[in-house]
Amino acid sequence: MAACGAYHTTAVSEEGDLWTWGKGDDGALGHNTRDHKLTPLRISHAQSFAGSRVVMSAAGSCKSAPGSGAPGSFHSAAVTEDGGVWTWGEGVDGRLGHGNEEDRLQPSKLGVENFAGNPVYMVACGGSHTAALAVGGRLWTWGSGFLGHNDKIKRLVPTRVEGAEYFSRARIATVAVGTAHTIAATTEGDVYTWGRGKYGRLGHGD
């Protein structure tokens, strides 16, 4: 399984190790450095993920600083077989979920306790926010901008998007995150979108 960000790539091997390459700004590659990597470099699950095999990864897209015209920074995430989420890279807006806005140059864990005791099985990274799906179809988001909480308040830690209010009590089956919007599909086959609607990216006819 592989994931592509704006300037970097992540891939999970059959052994449960993570491989990353590309632009290393802000520590997005997870090798405890900001250096770029021109070929895939392994992050061992035994050494960097507390011995738990990686089952999926996500690579964040790039968000430009307002008015700068220059590429912004990005982050990465992974899910391990114990249901934990690991994040690293650029920490502005709380997109890493650790309660602050500090960069992390190597994977740092958000355990099941951060998701009300529910193991996570899917994670997605956007430009300034992150989303995760936990067992039971529960959706959690953190960071800033397009979190689905009906406000524009920054969340520095994972916060549940309440299904009873927004998803007609249906469970979420999958989630994907763009630079400026989010999409979720329920087990009943309904699709929900939110975020920036420019170019009709939300699909609501406007």
Side-chain angles (χ1 to χ4, degrees):
M1 178 180 292
C4 297
Y7 296 105
H8 71 301
T9 307
T10 66
V12 180
S13 70
E14 291 184 355
E15 296 76 22
D17 293 329
L18 183 68
W19 296 73
T20 65
W21 61 98
K23 192 173 183 179
D25 289 3
D26 310 303
L29 301 184
H31 299 292
N32 201 29
T33 177
R34 300 176 189 270
D35 295 341
H36 309 328
K37 303 297 179 182
L38 303 184
T39 58
L41 187 63
R42 182 170 69 106
I43 302 176
S44 167
H45 73 273
Q47 297 177 358
S48 298
F49 296 98
S52 188
R53 289 164 51 93
V54 177
V55 296
M56 79 159 296
S57 63
S61 54
C62 208
K63 185 176 182 181
S64 298
S68 69
S73 47
F74 39 85
H75 64 301
S76 303
V79 177
T80 46
E81 60 186 354
D82 63 352
V85 175
W86 300 72
T87 61
W88 61 95
E90 214 276 343
V92 168
D93 297 324
R95 69 193 72 180
L96 301 184
H98 297 287
N100 54 49
E101 299 185 56
E102 298 176 2
D103 296 351
R104 307 263 175 153
L105 302 186
Q106 55 190 347
S108 297
K109 188 176 184 179
L110 296 168
V112 295
E113 65 274 9
N114 295 101
F115 303 94
N118 299 293
V120 170
Y121 62 89
M122 180 178 290
V123 68
C125 297
S128 59
H129 69 302
T130 309
L133 273 182
V135 170
R138 299 173 176 89
L139 177 63
W140 301 73
T141 61
W142 59 96
S144 74
F146 313 98
L147 306 183
H149 301 293
N150 200 30
D151 59 41
K152 296 183 178 180
I153 298 174
K154 184 185 304 182
R155 262 74 174 189
L156 301 183
V157 297
T159 304
R160 185 181 173 189
V161 180
E162 297 295 340
E165 180 178 355
Y166 300 118
F167 304 114
S168 300
R169 300 185 182 277
R171 294 185 177 185
I172 305 302
T174 187
V175 64
V177 177
T179 300
H181 67 305
T182 305
I183 181 170
T186 70
T187 54
E188 297 179 358
D190 295 321
V191 173
Y192 291 82
T193 62
W194 61 94
R196 188 167 296 158
K198 192 175 182 180
Y199 306 120
R201 72 190 78 179
L202 301 183
H204 298 289
D206 55 16

